[in-house]
Amino acid sequence: MKESPAGEAGAGPKTLALVSCVKDKLACTSRAIEMYQGFFFQASLRYAASFVPDAIYILSGKYGLLSPDEMIEPYDCNLAQQTQAYRDAWSQRVLVSLNEVSHPRRDRYILLAEPAYRDGLVPHLDHVVVPFAGLSLDQQGLLYREWYGPDDD
């Protein structure tokens, strides 16, 4: 699903939330929003939605930037465990995709992602919010549980 980039005549800045993928996945082809399982991913989506973004996208270690309705195959690829060359190429691929759906120098980005998923993107995006910068995944999970209740998994 491609959207018109911001920056067209009359269009104001957009807000995009970028949520990273998680390890727990379905074992069959599905929409990206359904592929990723568990409390942490669902809580991240809920938190992203609280910013009332124009769009939410998923950052996949394999596929790059995914729209929630995009059909994907199951995979096992944690970006943090890949080589620097892979992460650099991945970041460039995501930036190309972001240019197709947004205006990186004008729009606002909310990154709910680990450093491996955001470090190659942040220098190329002028307006970035990283709500959990400096917090471990465990600390983020504790906040989510405090805000949204216990993990039902």
Side-chain angles (χ1 to χ4, degrees):
M1 171 173 96
K2 302 286 184 202
E3 297 176 16
S4 298
E8 293 176 1
K14 295 191 300 188
T15 298
L16 283 75
L18 308 179
V19 177
S20 66
C21 62
V22 295
K23 180 179 180 177
D24 295 330
K25 299 173 188 70
L26 292 177
C28 59
T29 301
S30 64
R31 294 180 332 146
I33 195 83
E34 297 163 348
M35 175 63 70
Y36 305 104
Q37 299 292 296
F39 175 79
F40 195 87
F41 183 72
Q42 294 305 315
S44 294
L45 286 177
R46 186 172 176 184
Y47 186 62
S50 75
F51 288 91
V52 192
D54 294 287
I56 296 175
Y57 290 93
I58 300 164
L59 295 172
S60 161
K62 177 178 179 179
Y63 293 106
L65 188 71
L66 293 170
S67 69
D69 290 328
E70 202 164 332
M71 296 297 290
I72 59 172
E73 298 283 334
Y75 66 94
D76 185 17
C77 179
N78 182 332
L79 196 59
Q81 297 172 348
Q82 304 306 311
T83 66
Q84 186 63 50
Y86 182 96
R87 289 193 303 270
D88 291 345
W90 178 90
S91 294
Q92 289 307 308
R93 202 169 81 226
V94 169
L95 289 166
V96 167
S97 295
L98 282 173
N99 273 303
E100 293 174 0
V101 298
S102 66
H103 193 282
R105 296 294 179 197
R106 182 176 178 179
D107 291 337
R108 179 176 180 228
Y109 300 88
I110 301 158
L111 295 177
L112 298 172
E114 296 176 66
Y117 289 80
R118 66 177 191 251
D119 287 350
L121 305 177
V122 170
H124 305 281
L125 307 172
D126 283 356
H127 308 286
V128 177
V129 176
V130 182
F132 297 125
L135 296 183
S136 70
L137 290 178
D138 287 340
Q139 291 169 318
Q140 292 173 46
L142 288 173
L143 284 174
Y144 283 150
R145 284 175 181 80
E146 181 180 314
W147 297 335
Y148 303 130
D151 183 346
D152 292 333
D153 290 341

